[in-house]
PDB file of all heavy atoms in Angstrom:
ATOM      1  N   LEU A   1      -8.099   1.743  12.340  1.00 46.00           N
ATOM      2  CA  LEU A   1      -9.096   1.550  11.288  1.00 46.00           C
ATOM      3  C   LEU A   1      -8.715   0.337  10.417  1.00 46.00           C
ATOM      4  O   LEU A   1      -9.601  -0.332   9.912  1.00 46.00           O
ATOM      5  CB  LEU A   1      -9.152   2.803  10.427  1.00 46.00           C
ATOM      6  CG  LEU A   1      -9.752   4.058  11.113  1.00 46.00           C
ATOM      7  CD1 LEU A   1      -9.623   5.252  10.169  1.00 46.00           C
ATOM      8  CD2 LEU A   1     -11.148   3.823  11.540  1.00 46.00           C
ATOM      9  N   LEU A   2      -7.428   0.081  10.256  1.00 50.00           N
ATOM     10  CA  LEU A   2      -6.996  -0.988   9.367  1.00 50.00           C
ATOM     11  C   LEU A   2      -6.774  -2.329  10.058  1.00 50.00           C
ATOM     12  O   LEU A   2      -6.555  -3.315   9.389  1.00 50.00           O
ATOM     13  CB  LEU A   2      -5.692  -0.575   8.670  1.00 50.00           C
ATOM     14  CG  LEU A   2      -5.847   0.558   7.659  1.00 50.00           C
ATOM     15  CD1 LEU A   2      -4.487   1.030   7.172  1.00 50.00           C
ATOM     16  CD2 LEU A   2      -6.700   0.116   6.480  1.00 50.00           C
ATOM     17  N   ARG A   3      -6.905  -2.403  11.364  1.00 52.00           N
ATOM     18  CA  ARG A   3      -6.835  -3.696  12.016  1.00 52.00           C
ATOM     19  C   ARG A   3      -8.093  -4.520  11.736  1.00 52.00           C
ATOM     20  O   ARG A   3      -9.162  -3.949  11.537  1.00 52.00           O
ATOM     21  CB  ARG A   3      -6.690  -3.538  13.531  1.00 52.00           C
ATOM     22  CG  ARG A   3      -5.329  -3.091  14.029  1.00 52.00           C
ATOM     23  CD  ARG A   3      -5.329  -2.965  15.539  1.00 52.00           C
ATOM     24  NE  ARG A   3      -4.052  -2.497  16.009  1.00 52.00           N
ATOM     25  CZ  ARG A   3      -3.070  -3.316  16.343  1.00 52.00           C
ATOM     26  NH1 ARG A   3      -3.210  -4.616  16.216  1.00 52.00           N
ATOM     27  NH2 ARG A   3      -1.922  -2.812  16.794  1.00 52.00           N
ATOM     28  N   PRO A   4      -8.006  -5.815  11.754  1.00 50.00           N
ATOM     29  CA  PRO A   4      -9.211  -6.595  11.635  1.00 50.00           C
ATOM     30  C   PRO A   4     -10.207  -6.250  12.722  1.00 50.00           C
ATOM     31  O   PRO A   4      -9.833  -6.161  13.893  1.00 50.00           O
ATOM     32  CB  PRO A   4      -8.697  -8.048  11.811  1.00 50.00           C
ATOM     33  CG  PRO A   4      -7.260  -7.996  11.384  1.00 50.00           C
ATOM     34  CD  PRO A   4      -6.760  -6.641  11.830  1.00 50.00           C
ATOM     35  N   ARG A   5     -11.450  -5.997  12.361  1.00 42.00           N
ATOM     36  CA  ARG A   5     -12.420  -5.454  13.283  1.00 42.00           C
ATOM     37  C   ARG A   5     -12.953  -6.465  14.252  1.00 42.00           C
ATOM     38  O   ARG A   5     -13.475  -6.152  15.289  1.00 42.00           O
ATOM     39  CB  ARG A   5     -13.548  -4.784  12.510  1.00 42.00           C
ATOM     40  CG  ARG A   5     -13.104  -3.540  11.830  1.00 42.00           C
ATOM     41  CD  ARG A   5     -14.261  -2.846  11.136  1.00 42.00           C
ATOM     42  NE  ARG A   5     -13.876  -1.566  10.606  1.00 42.00           N
ATOM     43  CZ  ARG A   5     -13.274  -1.430   9.456  1.00 42.00           C
ATOM     44  NH1 ARG A   5     -12.915  -2.448   8.736  1.00 42.00           N
ATOM     45  NH2 ARG A   5     -12.965  -0.220   9.009  1.00 42.00           N
ATOM     46  N   SER A   6     -12.951  -7.740  13.928  1.00 41.00           N
ATOM     47  CA  SER A   6     -13.513  -8.761  14.834  1.00 41.00           C
ATOM     48  C   SER A   6     -12.893 -10.112  14.519  1.00 41.00           C
ATOM     49  O   SER A   6     -12.277 -10.321  13.502  1.00 41.00           O
ATOM     50  CB  SER A   6     -15.005  -8.803  14.683  1.00 41.00           C
ATOM     51  OG  SER A   6     -15.355  -9.423  13.423  1.00 41.00           O
ATOM     52  N   SER A   7     -13.090 -11.011  15.453  1.00 42.00           N
ATOM     53  CA  SER A   7     -12.571 -12.368  15.249  1.00 42.00           C
ATOM     54  C   SER A   7     -13.281 -13.028  14.082  1.00 42.00           C
ATOM     55  O   SER A   7     -12.748 -13.993  13.512  1.00 42.00           O
ATOM     56  CB  SER A   7     -12.796 -13.186  16.525  1.00 42.00           C
ATOM     57  OG  SER A   7     -14.154 -13.250  16.876  1.00 42.00           O
ATOM     58  N   GLN A   8     -14.447 -12.549  13.677  1.00 45.00           N
ATOM     59  CA  GLN A   8     -15.140 -13.139  12.534  1.00 45.00           C
ATOM     60  C   GLN A   8     -14.354 -12.930  11.227  1.00 45.00           C
ATOM     61  O   GLN A   8     -14.496 -13.692  10.294  1.00 45.00           O
ATOM     62  CB  GLN A   8     -16.536 -12.528  12.414  1.00 45.00           C
ATOM     63  CG  GLN A   8     -17.462 -12.884  13.559  1.00 45.00           C
ATOM     64  CD  GLN A   8     -18.837 -12.256  13.410  1.00 45.00           C
ATOM     65  OE1 GLN A   8     -18.992 -11.390  12.584  1.00 45.00           O
ATOM     66  NE2 GLN A   8     -19.767 -12.681  14.189  1.00 45.00           N
ATOM     67  N   GLU A   9     -13.484 -11.904  11.198  1.00 57.00           N
ATOM     68  CA  GLU A   9     -12.749 -11.623   9.986  1.00 57.00           C
ATOM     69  C   GLU A   9     -11.493 -12.476   9.878  1.00 57.00           C
ATOM     70  O   GLU A   9     -10.806 -12.511   8.906  1.00 57.00           O
ATOM     71  CB  GLU A   9     -12.329 -10.142   9.915  1.00 57.00           C
ATOM     72  CG  GLU A   9     -13.495  -9.196   9.629  1.00 57.00           C
ATOM     73  CD  GLU A   9     -12.998  -7.817   9.295  1.00 57.00           C
ATOM     74  OE1 GLU A   9     -11.857  -7.681   8.884  1.00 57.00           O
ATOM     75  OE2 GLU A   9     -13.803  -6.857   9.441  1.00 57.00           O
ATOM     76  N   LYS A  10     -11.146 -13.187  11.018  1.00 61.00           N
ATOM     77  CA  LYS A  10      -9.920 -13.983  11.013  1.00 61.00           C
ATOM     78  C   LYS A  10     -10.235 -15.367  10.486  1.00 61.00           C
ATOM     79  O   LYS A  10     -11.015 -16.117  11.035  1.00 61.00           O
ATOM     80  CB  LYS A  10      -9.377 -14.086  12.429  1.00 61.00           C
ATOM     81  CG  LYS A  10      -8.060 -14.802  12.502  1.00 61.00           C
ATOM     82  CD  LYS A  10      -7.653 -15.022  13.931  1.00 61.00           C
ATOM     83  CE  LYS A  10      -7.455 -13.717  14.625  1.00 61.00           C
ATOM     84  NZ  LYS A  10      -7.004 -13.915  16.056  1.00 61.00           N
ATOM     85  N   PRO A  11      -9.671 -15.765   9.292  1.00 62.00           N
ATOM     86  CA  PRO A  11      -9.876 -17.113   8.766  1.00 62.00           C
ATOM     87  C   PRO A  11      -9.385 -18.168   9.737  1.00 62.00           C
ATOM     88  O   PRO A  11      -8.420 -17.961  10.476  1.00 62.00           O
ATOM     89  CB  PRO A  11      -9.071 -17.099   7.479  1.00 62.00           C
ATOM     90  CG  PRO A  11      -8.807 -15.658   7.164  1.00 62.00           C
ATOM     91  CD  PRO A  11      -8.762 -14.986   8.491  1.00 62.00           C
ATOM     92  N   THR A  12     -10.048 -19.325   9.710  1.00 63.00           N
ATOM     93  CA  THR A  12      -9.604 -20.446  10.558  1.00 63.00           C
ATOM     94  C   THR A  12      -9.204 -21.609   9.666  1.00 63.00           C
ATOM     95  O   THR A  12      -9.590 -21.706   8.507  1.00 63.00           O
ATOM     96  CB  THR A  12     -10.731 -20.891  11.498  1.00 63.00           C
ATOM     97  OG1 THR A  12     -11.879 -21.233  10.741  1.00 63.00           O
ATOM     98  CG2 THR A  12     -11.080 -19.755  12.445  1.00 63.00           C
ATOM     99  N   GLY A  13      -8.421 -22.522  10.232  1.00 66.00           N
ATOM    100  CA  GLY A  13      -8.026 -23.713   9.473  1.00 66.00           C
ATOM    101  C   GLY A  13      -6.838 -23.379   8.546  1.00 66.00           C
ATOM    102  O   GLY A  13      -6.351 -22.248   8.497  1.00 66.00           O
ATOM    103  N   PRO A  14      -6.418 -24.395   7.767  1.00 78.00           N
ATOM    104  CA  PRO A  14      -5.301 -24.188   6.867  1.00 78.00           C
ATOM    105  C   PRO A  14      -5.589 -23.083   5.862  1.00 78.00           C
ATOM    106  O   PRO A  14      -6.739 -22.945   5.402  1.00 78.00           O
ATOM    107  CB  PRO A  14      -5.163 -25.550   6.170  1.00 78.00           C
ATOM    108  CG  PRO A  14      -5.840 -26.502   7.081  1.00 78.00           C
ATOM    109  CD  PRO A  14      -6.938 -25.740   7.756  1.00 78.00           C
ATOM    110  N   ARG A  15      -4.581 -22.242   5.525  1.00 93.00           N
ATOM    111  CA  ARG A  15      -4.854 -21.124   4.619  1.00 93.00           C
ATOM    112  C   ARG A  15      -3.638 -20.977   3.721  1.00 93.00           C
ATOM    113  O   ARG A  15      -2.635 -20.377   4.085  1.00 93.00           O
ATOM    114  CB  ARG A  15      -5.130 -19.851   5.402  1.00 93.00           C
ATOM    115  CG  ARG A  15      -5.540 -18.671   4.524  1.00 93.00           C
ATOM    116  CD  ARG A  15      -6.093 -17.547   5.359  1.00 93.00           C
ATOM    117  NE  ARG A  15      -6.282 -16.348   4.578  1.00 93.00           N
ATOM    118  CZ  ARG A  15      -7.348 -16.065   3.817  1.00 93.00           C
ATOM    119  NH1 ARG A  15      -8.325 -16.904   3.750  1.00 93.00           N
ATOM    120  NH2 ARG A  15      -7.425 -14.915   3.148  1.00 93.00           N
ATOM    121  N   ASP A  16      -3.775 -21.533   2.509  1.00 97.00           N
ATOM    122  CA  ASP A  16      -2.764 -21.328   1.470  1.00 97.00           C
ATOM    123  C   ASP A  16      -3.518 -20.672   0.279  1.00 97.00           C
ATOM    124  O   ASP A  16      -4.662 -20.231   0.411  1.00 97.00           O
ATOM    125  CB  ASP A  16      -2.140 -22.672   1.088  1.00 97.00           C
ATOM    126  CG  ASP A  16      -0.825 -22.530   0.408  1.00 97.00           C
ATOM    127  OD1 ASP A  16      -0.475 -21.394   0.032  1.00 97.00           O
ATOM    128  OD2 ASP A  16      -0.147 -23.568   0.166  1.00 97.00           O
ATOM    129  N   PHE A  17      -2.872 -20.598  -0.846  1.00 97.00           N
ATOM    130  CA  PHE A  17      -3.441 -19.858  -1.955  1.00 97.00           C
ATOM    131  C   PHE A  17      -4.842 -20.342  -2.390  1.00 97.00           C
ATOM    132  O   PHE A  17      -5.698 -19.515  -2.692  1.00 97.00           O
ATOM    133  CB  PHE A  17      -2.491 -19.865  -3.176  1.00 97.00           C
ATOM    134  CG  PHE A  17      -2.985 -19.032  -4.299  1.00 97.00           C
ATOM    135  CD1 PHE A  17      -3.152 -17.670  -4.155  1.00 97.00           C
ATOM    136  CD2 PHE A  17      -3.352 -19.605  -5.512  1.00 97.00           C
ATOM    137  CE1 PHE A  17      -3.620 -16.879  -5.210  1.00 97.00           C
ATOM    138  CE2 PHE A  17      -3.835 -18.859  -6.556  1.00 97.00           C
ATOM    139  CZ  PHE A  17      -3.977 -17.471  -6.406  1.00 97.00           C
ATOM    140  N   PRO A  18      -5.108 -21.658  -2.416  1.00 97.00           N
ATOM    141  CA  PRO A  18      -6.463 -22.086  -2.809  1.00 97.00           C
ATOM    142  C   PRO A  18      -7.536 -21.479  -1.907  1.00 97.00           C
ATOM    143  O   PRO A  18      -8.593 -21.083  -2.375  1.00 97.00           O
ATOM    144  CB  PRO A  18      -6.399 -23.629  -2.675  1.00 97.00           C
ATOM    145  CG  PRO A  18      -4.977 -23.966  -2.941  1.00 97.00           C
ATOM    146  CD  PRO A  18      -4.207 -22.835  -2.277  1.00 97.00           C
ATOM    147  N   GLU A  19      -7.290 -21.475  -0.596  1.00 96.00           N
ATOM    148  CA  GLU A  19      -8.265 -20.890   0.353  1.00 96.00           C
ATOM    149  C   GLU A  19      -8.364 -19.339   0.134  1.00 96.00           C
ATOM    150  O   GLU A  19      -9.486 -18.790   0.151  1.00 96.00           O
ATOM    151  CB  GLU A  19      -7.883 -21.158   1.797  1.00 96.00           C
ATOM    152  CG  GLU A  19      -7.999 -22.629   2.221  1.00 96.00           C
ATOM    153  CD  GLU A  19      -6.924 -23.540   1.647  1.00 96.00           C
ATOM    154  OE1 GLU A  19      -5.833 -23.006   1.361  1.00 96.00           O
ATOM    155  OE2 GLU A  19      -7.179 -24.762   1.495  1.00 96.00           O
ATOM    156  N   ILE A  20      -7.250 -18.708  -0.114  1.00 97.00           N
ATOM    157  CA  ILE A  20      -7.223 -17.252  -0.353  1.00 97.00           C
ATOM    158  C   ILE A  20      -7.988 -16.955  -1.618  1.00 97.00           C
ATOM    159  O   ILE A  20      -8.795 -16.020  -1.715  1.00 97.00           O
ATOM    160  CB  ILE A  20      -5.768 -16.720  -0.437  1.00 97.00           C
ATOM    161  CG1 ILE A  20      -5.106 -16.885   0.962  1.00 97.00           C
ATOM    162  CG2 ILE A  20      -5.715 -15.305  -0.934  1.00 97.00           C
ATOM    163  CD1 ILE A  20      -3.620 -16.673   0.944  1.00 97.00           C
ATOM    164  N   GLN A  21      -7.717 -17.704  -2.689  1.00 96.00           N
ATOM    165  CA  GLN A  21      -8.386 -17.485  -3.976  1.00 96.00           C
ATOM    166  C   GLN A  21      -9.885 -17.733  -3.850  1.00 96.00           C
ATOM    167  O   GLN A  21     -10.698 -17.026  -4.437  1.00 96.00           O
ATOM    168  CB  GLN A  21      -7.765 -18.449  -4.995  1.00 96.00           C
ATOM    169  CG  GLN A  21      -8.229 -18.133  -6.424  1.00 96.00           C
ATOM    170  CD  GLN A  21      -7.502 -18.995  -7.422  1.00 96.00           C
ATOM    171  OE1 GLN A  21      -7.244 -20.177  -7.200  1.00 96.00           O
ATOM    172  NE2 GLN A  21      -7.110 -18.428  -8.568  1.00 96.00           N
ATOM    173  N   SER A  22     -10.270 -18.763  -3.070  1.00 96.00           N
ATOM    174  CA  SER A  22     -11.662 -19.057  -2.879  1.00 96.00           C
ATOM    175  C   SER A  22     -12.407 -17.903  -2.226  1.00 96.00           C
ATOM    176  O   SER A  22     -13.517 -17.525  -2.609  1.00 96.00           O
ATOM    177  CB  SER A  22     -11.840 -20.310  -2.092  1.00 96.00           C
ATOM    178  OG  SER A  22     -13.233 -20.571  -1.829  1.00 96.00           O
ATOM    179  N   GLU A  23     -11.759 -17.313  -1.200  1.00 96.00           N
ATOM    180  CA  GLU A  23     -12.333 -16.147  -0.516  1.00 96.00           C
ATOM    181  C   GLU A  23     -12.241 -14.886  -1.321  1.00 96.00           C
ATOM    182  O   GLU A  23     -13.058 -13.984  -1.222  1.00 96.00           O
ATOM    183  CB  GLU A  23     -11.633 -15.974   0.849  1.00 96.00           C
ATOM    184  CG  GLU A  23     -12.293 -14.903   1.678  1.00 96.00           C
ATOM    185  CD  GLU A  23     -11.485 -14.641   2.990  1.00 96.00           C
ATOM    186  OE1 GLU A  23     -10.262 -14.899   2.993  1.00 96.00           O
ATOM    187  OE2 GLU A  23     -12.090 -14.090   3.905  1.00 96.00           O
ATOM    188  N   GLY A  24     -11.163 -14.788  -2.142  1.00 97.00           N
ATOM    189  CA  GLY A  24     -10.939 -13.621  -2.966  1.00 97.00           C
ATOM    190  C   GLY A  24     -10.279 -12.461  -2.236  1.00 97.00           C
ATOM    191  O   GLY A  24     -10.207 -11.352  -2.752  1.00 97.00           O
ATOM    192  N   ILE A  25      -9.710 -12.730  -1.039  1.00 97.00           N
ATOM    193  CA  ILE A  25      -9.123 -11.674  -0.199  1.00 97.00           C
ATOM    194  C   ILE A  25      -7.721 -12.118   0.241  1.00 97.00           C
ATOM    195  O   ILE A  25      -7.518 -13.214   0.727  1.00 97.00           O
ATOM    196  CB  ILE A  25      -9.984 -11.417   1.026  1.00 97.00           C
ATOM    197  CG1 ILE A  25     -11.382 -10.892   0.687  1.00 97.00           C
ATOM    198  CG2 ILE A  25      -9.259 -10.389   1.936  1.00 97.00           C
ATOM    199  CD1 ILE A  25     -12.308 -10.798   1.830  1.00 97.00           C
ATOM    200  N   LEU A  26      -6.760 -11.236  -0.006  1.00 97.00           N
ATOM    201  CA  LEU A  26      -5.366 -11.450   0.425  1.00 97.00           C
ATOM    202  C   LEU A  26      -5.086 -10.446   1.514  1.00 97.00           C
ATOM    203  O   LEU A  26      -5.157  -9.229   1.256  1.00 97.00           O
ATOM    204  CB  LEU A  26      -4.438 -11.254  -0.751  1.00 97.00           C
ATOM    205  CG  LEU A  26      -2.940 -11.517  -0.529  1.00 97.00           C
ATOM    206  CD1 LEU A  26      -2.687 -12.952  -0.156  1.00 97.00           C
ATOM    207  CD2 LEU A  26      -2.129 -11.149  -1.787  1.00 97.00           C
ATOM    208  N   ARG A  27      -4.805 -10.918   2.721  1.00 97.00           N
ATOM    209  CA  ARG A  27      -4.578 -10.023   3.841  1.00 97.00           C
ATOM    210  C   ARG A  27      -3.072  -9.755   4.040  1.00 97.00           C
ATOM    211  O   ARG A  27      -2.290 -10.707   4.261  1.00 97.00           O
ATOM    212  CB  ARG A  27      -5.160 -10.701   5.096  1.00 97.00           C
ATOM    213  CG  ARG A  27      -6.704 -10.738   5.058  1.00 97.00           C
ATOM    214  CD  ARG A  27      -7.264 -11.479   6.275  1.00 97.00           C
ATOM    215  NE  ARG A  27      -8.707 -11.288   6.400  1.00 97.00           N
ATOM    216  CZ  ARG A  27      -9.597 -11.988   5.740  1.00 97.00           C
ATOM    217  NH1 ARG A  27      -9.181 -12.944   4.928  1.00 97.00           N
ATOM    218  NH2 ARG A  27     -10.877 -11.763   5.842  1.00 97.00           N
ATOM    219  N   VAL A  28      -2.719  -8.492   3.996  1.00 98.00           N
ATOM    220  CA  VAL A  28      -1.347  -8.081   4.052  1.00 98.00           C
ATOM    221  C   VAL A  28      -1.141  -7.147   5.250  1.00 98.00           C
ATOM    222  O   VAL A  28      -1.996  -6.305   5.557  1.00 98.00           O
ATOM    223  CB  VAL A  28      -0.946  -7.299   2.758  1.00 98.00           C
ATOM    224  CG1 VAL A  28       0.456  -6.750   2.854  1.00 98.00           C
ATOM    225  CG2 VAL A  28      -1.117  -8.250   1.551  1.00 98.00           C
ATOM    226  N   VAL A  29      -0.033  -7.324   5.951  1.00 97.00           N
ATOM    227  CA  VAL A  29       0.310  -6.415   7.027  1.00 97.00           C
ATOM    228  C   VAL A  29       1.654  -5.731   6.713  1.00 97.00           C
ATOM    229  O   VAL A  29       2.589  -6.357   6.217  1.00 97.00           O
ATOM    230  CB  VAL A  29       0.398  -7.154   8.407  1.00 97.00           C
ATOM    231  CG1 VAL A  29       1.473  -8.196   8.396  1.00 97.00           C
ATOM    232  CG2 VAL A  29       0.625  -6.123   9.524  1.00 97.00           C
ATOM    233  N   THR A  30       1.698  -4.442   6.956  1.00 95.00           N
ATOM    234  CA  THR A  30       2.934  -3.686   6.730  1.00 95.00           C
ATOM    235  C   THR A  30       3.040  -2.621   7.808  1.00 95.00           C
ATOM    236  O   THR A  30       2.214  -2.557   8.724  1.00 95.00           O
ATOM    237  CB  THR A  30       2.974  -3.087   5.308  1.00 95.00           C
ATOM    238  OG1 THR A  30       4.315  -2.559   5.086  1.00 95.00           O
ATOM    239  CG2 THR A  30       1.929  -1.971   5.168  1.00 95.00           C
ATOM    240  N   GLU A  31       4.045  -1.815   7.750  1.00 89.00           N
ATOM    241  CA  GLU A  31       4.319  -0.781   8.776  1.00 89.00           C
ATOM    242  C   GLU A  31       3.959   0.608   8.203  1.00 89.00           C
ATOM    243  O   GLU A  31       3.901   0.795   6.981  1.00 89.00           O
ATOM    244  CB  GLU A  31       5.752  -0.783   9.242  1.00 89.00           C
ATOM    245  CG  GLU A  31       6.742  -0.505   8.074  1.00 89.00           C
ATOM    246  CD  GLU A  31       8.175  -0.683   8.486  1.00 89.00           C
ATOM    247  OE1 GLU A  31       8.471  -0.414   9.668  1.00 89.00           O
ATOM    248  OE2 GLU A  31       8.973  -1.031   7.612  1.00 89.00           O
ATOM    249  N   TYR A  32       3.788   1.545   9.084  1.00 87.00           N
ATOM    250  CA  TYR A  32       3.542   2.940   8.631  1.00 87.00           C
ATOM    251  C   TYR A  32       4.889   3.613   8.453  1.00 87.00           C
ATOM    252  O   TYR A  32       5.560   4.028   9.436  1.00 87.00           O
ATOM    253  CB  TYR A  32       2.698   3.688   9.678  1.00 87.00           C
ATOM    254  CG  TYR A  32       2.232   5.055   9.167  1.00 87.00           C
ATOM    255  CD1 TYR A  32       1.035   5.150   8.467  1.00 87.00           C
ATOM    256  CD2 TYR A  32       2.978   6.203   9.356  1.00 87.00           C
ATOM    257  CE1 TYR A  32       0.602   6.387   7.971  1.00 87.00           C
ATOM    258  CE2 TYR A  32       2.562   7.419   8.880  1.00 87.00           C
ATOM    259  CZ  TYR A  32       1.342   7.507   8.160  1.00 87.00           C
ATOM    260  OH  TYR A  32       0.957   8.725   7.710  1.00 87.00           O
ATOM    261  N   SER A  33       5.323   3.736   7.204  1.00 81.00           N
ATOM    262  CA  SER A  33       6.602   4.353   6.879  1.00 81.00           C
ATOM    263  C   SER A  33       6.652   4.528   5.384  1.00 81.00           C
ATOM    264  O   SER A  33       5.839   3.931   4.667  1.00 81.00           O
ATOM    265  CB  SER A  33       7.778   3.475   7.337  1.00 81.00           C
ATOM    266  OG  SER A  33       7.917   2.338   6.506  1.00 81.00           O
ATOM    267  N   PRO A  34       7.639   5.308   4.862  1.00 79.00           N
ATOM    268  CA  PRO A  34       7.735   5.410   3.398  1.00 79.00           C
ATOM    269  C   PRO A  34       7.988   4.094   2.698  1.00 79.00           C
ATOM    270  O   PRO A  34       7.617   3.888   1.553  1.00 79.00           O
ATOM    271  CB  PRO A  34       8.950   6.385   3.241  1.00 79.00           C
ATOM    272  CG  PRO A  34       8.977   7.173   4.480  1.00 79.00           C
ATOM    273  CD  PRO A  34       8.540   6.243   5.558  1.00 79.00           C
ATOM    274  N   SER A  35       8.613   3.158   3.414  1.00 83.00           N
ATOM    275  CA  SER A  35       8.859   1.835   2.792  1.00 83.00           C
ATOM    276  C   SER A  35       7.673   0.920   2.951  1.00 83.00           C
ATOM    277  O   SER A  35       7.644  -0.173   2.334  1.00 83.00           O
ATOM    278  CB  SER A  35      10.097   1.178   3.399  1.00 83.00           C
ATOM    279  OG  SER A  35       9.871   0.863   4.760  1.00 83.00           O
ATOM    280  N   GLY A  36       6.671   1.309   3.749  1.00 90.00           N
ATOM    281  CA  GLY A  36       5.508   0.479   3.930  1.00 90.00           C
ATOM    282  C   GLY A  36       4.250   1.135   3.393  1.00 90.00           C
ATOM    283  O   GLY A  36       3.840   0.926   2.251  1.00 90.00           O
ATOM    284  N   TYR A  37       3.617   1.962   4.189  1.00 92.00           N
ATOM    285  CA  TYR A  37       2.347   2.562   3.862  1.00 92.00           C
ATOM    286  C   TYR A  37       2.268   3.914   4.636  1.00 92.00           C
ATOM    287  O   TYR A  37       2.639   3.960   5.795  1.00 92.00           O
ATOM    288  CB  TYR A  37       1.208   1.629   4.384  1.00 92.00           C
ATOM    289  CG  TYR A  37      -0.202   2.146   4.391  1.00 92.00           C
ATOM    290  CD1 TYR A  37      -1.159   1.664   3.514  1.00 92.00           C
ATOM    291  CD2 TYR A  37      -0.615   3.149   5.312  1.00 92.00           C
ATOM    292  CE1 TYR A  37      -2.453   2.069   3.552  1.00 92.00           C
ATOM    293  CE2 TYR A  37      -1.920   3.593   5.350  1.00 92.00           C
ATOM    294  CZ  TYR A  37      -2.837   3.063   4.462  1.00 92.00           C
ATOM    295  OH  TYR A  37      -4.140   3.500   4.486  1.00 92.00           O
ATOM    296  N   TYR A  38       1.873   4.954   3.957  1.00 88.00           N
ATOM    297  CA  TYR A  38       1.703   6.212   4.640  1.00 88.00           C
ATOM    298  C   TYR A  38       0.713   7.110   3.859  1.00 88.00           C
ATOM    299  O   TYR A  38       0.365   6.806   2.704  1.00 88.00           O
ATOM    300  CB  TYR A  38       3.032   6.925   4.865  1.00 88.00           C
ATOM    301  CG  TYR A  38       3.701   7.507   3.644  1.00 88.00           C
ATOM    302  CD1 TYR A  38       3.653   8.845   3.314  1.00 88.00           C
ATOM    303  CD2 TYR A  38       4.379   6.673   2.744  1.00 88.00           C
ATOM    304  CE1 TYR A  38       4.231   9.357   2.171  1.00 88.00           C
ATOM    305  CE2 TYR A  38       4.997   7.157   1.601  1.00 88.00           C
ATOM    306  CZ  TYR A  38       4.938   8.486   1.341  1.00 88.00           C
ATOM    307  OH  TYR A  38       5.517   8.992   0.216  1.00 88.00           O
ATOM    308  N   VAL A  39       0.297   8.174   4.517  1.00 90.00           N
ATOM    309  CA  VAL A  39      -0.669   9.102   3.943  1.00 90.00           C
ATOM    310  C   VAL A  39       0.037  10.362   3.519  1.00 90.00           C
ATOM    311  O   VAL A  39       0.738  10.963   4.343  1.00 90.00           O
ATOM    312  CB  VAL A  39      -1.815   9.441   4.937  1.00 90.00           C
ATOM    313  CG1 VAL A  39      -2.793  10.401   4.270  1.00 90.00           C
ATOM    314  CG2 VAL A  39      -2.544   8.155   5.370  1.00 90.00           C
ATOM    315  N   SER A  40      -0.076  10.752   2.278  1.00 85.00           N
ATOM    316  CA  SER A  40       0.512  11.968   1.740  1.00 85.00           C
ATOM    317  C   SER A  40      -0.601  12.841   1.230  1.00 85.00           C
ATOM    318  O   SER A  40      -1.119  12.583   0.109  1.00 85.00           O
ATOM    319  CB  SER A  40       1.557  11.670   0.679  1.00 85.00           C
ATOM    320  OG  SER A  40       2.066  12.867   0.120  1.00 85.00           O
ATOM    321  N   GLY A  41      -0.982  13.863   1.992  1.00 87.00           N
ATOM    322  CA  GLY A  41      -2.132  14.676   1.590  1.00 87.00           C
ATOM    323  C   GLY A  41      -3.359  13.817   1.619  1.00 87.00           C
ATOM    324  O   GLY A  41      -3.761  13.271   2.641  1.00 87.00           O
ATOM    325  N   ASP A  42      -4.042  13.693   0.473  1.00 87.00           N
ATOM    326  CA  ASP A  42      -5.206  12.828   0.432  1.00 87.00           C
ATOM    327  C   ASP A  42      -4.892  11.531  -0.353  1.00 87.00           C
ATOM    328  O   ASP A  42      -5.846  10.866  -0.821  1.00 87.00           O
ATOM    329  CB  ASP A  42      -6.359  13.565  -0.238  1.00 87.00           C
ATOM    330  CG  ASP A  42      -6.059  14.049  -1.645  1.00 87.00           C
ATOM    331  OD1 ASP A  42      -4.894  13.858  -2.084  1.00 87.00           O
ATOM    332  OD2 ASP A  42      -6.940  14.610  -2.313  1.00 87.00           O
ATOM    333  N   THR A  43      -3.622  11.177  -0.422  1.00 90.00           N
ATOM    334  CA  THR A  43      -3.204  10.002  -1.201  1.00 90.00           C
ATOM    335  C   THR A  43      -2.517   8.988  -0.305  1.00 90.00           C
ATOM    336  O   THR A  43      -1.735   9.314   0.583  1.00 90.00           O
ATOM    337  CB  THR A  43      -2.217  10.429  -2.340  1.00 90.00           C
ATOM    338  OG1 THR A  43      -2.822  11.411  -3.125  1.00 90.00           O
ATOM    339  CG2 THR A  43      -1.844   9.243  -3.199  1.00 90.00           C
TER     340      THR A  43
END
């Protein structure tokens, strides 16, 4: 569910903070673990 759904979501060309700020989206990848991201109940 959390993977990018299509190649259309993948930015192309140089991508530093100005491009990120212009789009308004910061894409982060982490692992499923207590040190990364996990589901606890409904949280």
